């Protein structure tokens, strides 16, 4: 390859990288100033308050302390320090938090581009499609638009970087020892970013088995895994010492596995179609892509056919299963849990597009392939815009709720009982963090008695006792103080306000709360007050 051709190719790669970055940044530009929602309030408050010297301690302790009412089994020093850095612009300012999330997403897209170009060896148009699809997938909305969502985009970045470096090292052998060291260092960072990255050894072994081929004698070939195995084992041993369990194995039971198989279907639909309910359409699409790949494979030379089929197997079912497997012990469903797994689907589409592009005869045929590729990107871009708009609304409502609660607490007489019924999708897990510094200049709980439904409280196991304590303190010290109920429309943020002065029966209904003896009864009665009173 002469110098001019090489320069032209480099320029084209730079253009491809720019396209991927724009695909990662532009759809999320509207989120850059979005307010905090849900877990953000607690996460940012805790980590922004830690001193700069705290970083080493996160290697041997839970990064969340006990702010959720228990100690999570999560050793995550690198996400923790990222929140310290993004809080430098002001803990109550969301700008840098969102800027880092978007930058991480763009970086992940560039790693997918690198994997497609230099590991899978796809043509530049096909590699660009793979990376472009990855950054445009609607399933990533939560990981990027939600500040706390970076707990999945960060480990994915280090995981894929480790895989890319190892695969490149296999190509270069001992001459590329720096790549091997880089891969190992990326695994270290990935492990201490999120525990789901313990699957790395399986990914590397699957790549060697399916793509490279294990060679004889086996030991010189497989000993490359030993440092990766030892590092992973050491990390798991640390988890056992700290938390008494390795991978939440207590959740590996019949009920948990049944839940996992339902999650599998939901995640597939969310990645492939962009909607969790589109399971039939997702499977139809997967089958359609598989049939298209099989048809295109027929025209490839035998050696190339075997390699491409192996790539489809690796980035298809193998990558997907490895990526989704950790959700078996997650305990709940979230689209961000398949951030890494979704890269496999993007790669599969890139591989199929590569076969179509290379096999296309003449300019008209390539135009058809290009149009189909643009159609796929447009389909996902439209779905992503819908998801981003939803996150924008949730953030706007969250901000409005903070402003309204602050205004009410400061304007009301001291000792007022305020029942806050903020939309769950905006304020779940957020109280009491959302009503105290750094989000508000004063701690509103020192001026007013604030209670919420169960789902809005930070600590589910403590909510019943905390709420009863607040109610009894109010009854004993300020029983004649006003009672105010605040509720917001979850789409518009419009406030509905009801007081005991406007609705005198509210005082009697509130006093009933003091007598309730179960969490379920107390929560249902608070919800009834919020949702069914006149004017609310």
């Amino acid at each position: 390859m002469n110098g001019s051709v090489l320069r032209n190719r480099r320029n084209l790669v730079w253009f491809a990288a720019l396209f991927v970055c724009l695909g990662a940044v532009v759809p999320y530009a509207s989120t850059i100033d979005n307010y905090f929602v849900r877990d953000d309030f607690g996460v940012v408050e805790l980590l922004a308050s830690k001193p700069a010297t705290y970083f080493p301690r996160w290697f041997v302790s839970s990064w969340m302390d006990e702010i959720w009412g228990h100690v999570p089994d999560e050793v995550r020093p690198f996400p923790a320090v990222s929140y310290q850095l993004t809080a430098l612009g002001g803990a109550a300012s969301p700008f840098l938090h969102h800027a880092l999330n978007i930058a991480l997403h763009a970086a992940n897209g560039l790693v997918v581009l690198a994997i497609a170009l230099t590991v899978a060896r796809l043509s530049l148009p096909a590699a660009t499609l793979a990376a472009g699809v990855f950054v445009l997938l609607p399933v990533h909305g939560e990981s990027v638009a939600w500040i706390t969502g970076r707990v999945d985009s960060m480990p994915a970045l280090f995981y894929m970087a480790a895989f890319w470096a190892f695969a490149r090292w296999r190509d270069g052998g001992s001459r590329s020892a720096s790549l091997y060291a880089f891969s190992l260092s990326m695994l270290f960072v990935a492990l201490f970013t999120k525990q789901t990255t313990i699957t790395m050894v399986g990914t590397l072994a699957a790549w060697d088995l399916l793509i490279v081929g294990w060679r004889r004698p086996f030991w010189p070939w497989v000993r490359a895994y030993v440092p990766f195995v030892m590092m992973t084992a050491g990390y798991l041993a640390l988890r056992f010492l700290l938390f008494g369990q390795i991978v939440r194995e207590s959740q590996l039971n019949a009920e948990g596995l049944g839940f996992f198989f339902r999650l599998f279907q939901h995640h597939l639909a969310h990645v492939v179609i962009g909607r969790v309910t589109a399971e039939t359409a997702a499977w139809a699409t997967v089958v359609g892509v598989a049939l298209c790949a099989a048809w295109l494979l027929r025209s490839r030379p035998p050696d190339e056919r075997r390699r491409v089929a192996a790539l489809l197997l690796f980035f298809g079912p193998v990558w997907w299963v490895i990526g989704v497997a950790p959700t078996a012990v997650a305990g709940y469903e979230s689209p961000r849990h398949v951030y890494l797994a979704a890269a496999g689907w993007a790669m599969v589409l890139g591989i199929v597009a590569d076969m179509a592009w290379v096999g296309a005869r003449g300019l008209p045929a390539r135009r058809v392939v290009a149009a189909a590729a643009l159609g796929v990107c447009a389909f996902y871009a439209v779905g992503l815009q819908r998801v981003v708009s939803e996150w924008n609304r949730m953030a706007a409502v969250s901000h409005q709720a903070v402003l309204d609660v602050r205004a009410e607490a400061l304007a009301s007489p001291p000792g007022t009982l305020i029942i806050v019924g903020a939309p769950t999708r905006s304020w779940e897990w957020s109280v009491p963090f959302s009503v105290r510094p750094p989000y508000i200049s004063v701690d509103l709980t020192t001026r007013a008695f604030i209670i919420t439904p169960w789902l809005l409280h930070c600590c589910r196991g403590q909510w019943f006792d905390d709420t009863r304590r607040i109610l009894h303190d109010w009854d004993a010290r300020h029983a004649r103080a006003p009672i105010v109920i605040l509720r917001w429309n979850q789409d518009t943020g419009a406030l509905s306000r009801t007081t005991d002065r406007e609705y005198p029966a509210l005082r009697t209904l509130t006093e009933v709360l003091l007598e309730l003896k179960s969490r379920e009864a107390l929560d249902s009665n608070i919800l009834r007050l919020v949702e069914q009173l006149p004017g609310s």
Side-chain angles (χ1 to χ4, degrees), residues 365-445:
R366 287 202 164 183
R367 284 176 175 171
V368 171
V369 175
L374 289 174
V376 170
C377 289
F379 171 77
Y380 286 129
V382 170
L384 176 59
Q385 185 57 45
R386 173 180 53 81
V387 175
V388 170
S389 296
E390 189 74 6
W391 278 97
N392 290 346
R393 284 194 292 272
M394 286 189 283
V397 172
S398 176
H399 193 203
Q400 189 61 50
V402 170
L403 295 176
D404 290 339
V405 172
R406 180 182 65 181
E408 186 67 49
L410 296 180
S412 299
T416 297
L417 176 64
I418 303 177
I419 303 175
V420 177
T424 302
R425 66 179 190 172
S426 292
W427 260 36
E428 188 174 12
W429 301 100
S430 70
V431 178
F433 311 116
S434 54
V435 295
R436 68 190 192 193
Y439 313 104
I440 297 175
S441 58
V442 296
D443 186 346
L444 298 183
T445 62

Side-chain angles (χ1 to χ4, degrees), residues 18-33:
L18 177 61
F19 173 82
V20 172
C21 288
L22 289 174
V25 172
V26 172
Y28 293 101
S30 62
T31 70
I32 197 69
D33 283 316

